[in-house]
Amino acid sequence: MHVRMLCLGRHWNAKTYQYQATRADFDGLPVLPLPADMRDLAQEIAATAGMPIEPDLCLINYYEGDGRMGLHQDKDEGAASIAAGIPVVSVSIGDTARFLFGGLRRRDPVEAMPLESGAAFVFGGPARLRYHGVSRIVPCTAPPELGITGRFNLTFRQSDEACRALS
Ligand SMILES: O=C(O)CCC(=O)C(=O)O
């Protein structure tokens, strides 16, 4: 993983791979809240794909020109969330990414697709644990009106903490 990360709602601890209420592996401060309008946007996107979600957290990754993320599964949200196939909702802003989407096993074939600024990508249900990653960032492809270099990727998720609060 070669990105900078900010978490909203719940903090993903990069040392323990667990979600926490404080940024224990960074500065110990409480995690910033997930704004309601961001949560609503994620729900609208997921609904378009026919998948309900009550997101309680968002990971914001910032990729510079040499940013990348190796193939991995998103499986730290908890057994209940994953078993229910609650999706991950991804929104891309800025430079285009070469996004890799594989299968349920690491060695499965991988499809590469561009995720341009404004793209939304939802994977849930039987696809929830598909391997995915970013092999490269295509420089200078961000819409000029954004005035940014690099790429922001926002992934909204529902952790088991949220599942428990809803039940
Ligand atoms: O940047 C992306 O499109 C993928 C991000 C990702 O895989 C993750 O945050 O787990």
Side-chain angles (χ1 to χ4, degrees):
M1 186 156 83
H2 192 66
V3 297
R4 285 191 261 170
M5 185 183 290
L6 173 73
C7 305
L8 303 177
R10 291 183 68 70
H11 177 75
W12 183 73
N13 186 317
K15 292 187 180 138
T16 63
Y17 287 26
Q18 287 175 333
Y19 287 105
Q20 299 176 320
T22 58
R23 311 194 297 196
D25 58 336
F26 180 52
D27 56 10
L29 291 175
V31 66
L32 297 167
L34 175 63
D37 53 355
M38 290 176 66
R39 188 198 59 219
D40 293 350
L41 174 67
Q43 281 187 308
E44 280 171 34
I45 292 168
T48 305
M51 295 190 189
I53 182 173
E54 296 284 344
D56 60 331
L57 66 103
C58 175
L59 305 191
I60 305 177
N61 293 317
Y62 175 67
Y63 297 76
E64 294 184 80
D66 59 352
R68 63 193 175 279
M69 191 174 289
L71 276 183
H72 65 281
Q73 295 173 301
D74 291 349
K75 54 183 183 187
D76 300 330
E77 291 69 35
S81 178
I82 289 169
I86 294 169
V88 173
V89 177
S90 155
V91 175
S92 297
I93 300 169
D95 285 339
T96 299
R98 185 173 187 268
F99 181 74
L100 306 177
F101 200 48
L104 295 174
R105 296 168 307 174
R106 185 179 285 280
R107 62 178 182 280
D108 285 343
V110 169
E111 187 183 350
M113 60 188 91
L115 286 186
E116 297 175 354
S117 190
F121 189 85
V122 180
F123 54 103
R128 176 61 176 76
L129 283 179
R130 283 176 67 171
Y131 277 85
H132 57 281
V134 169
S135 60
R136 67 181 288 254
I137 300 298
V138 188
C140 306
T141 47
E145 61 272 23
L146 293 182
I148 61 169
T149 56
R151 170 177 184 258
F152 292 94
N153 176 256
L154 289 66
T155 53
F156 297 88
R157 304 148 191 247
Q158 178 176 326
S159 75
D160 276 1
E161 206 67 34
C163 295
R164 273 190 283 277
L166 291 168
S167 59

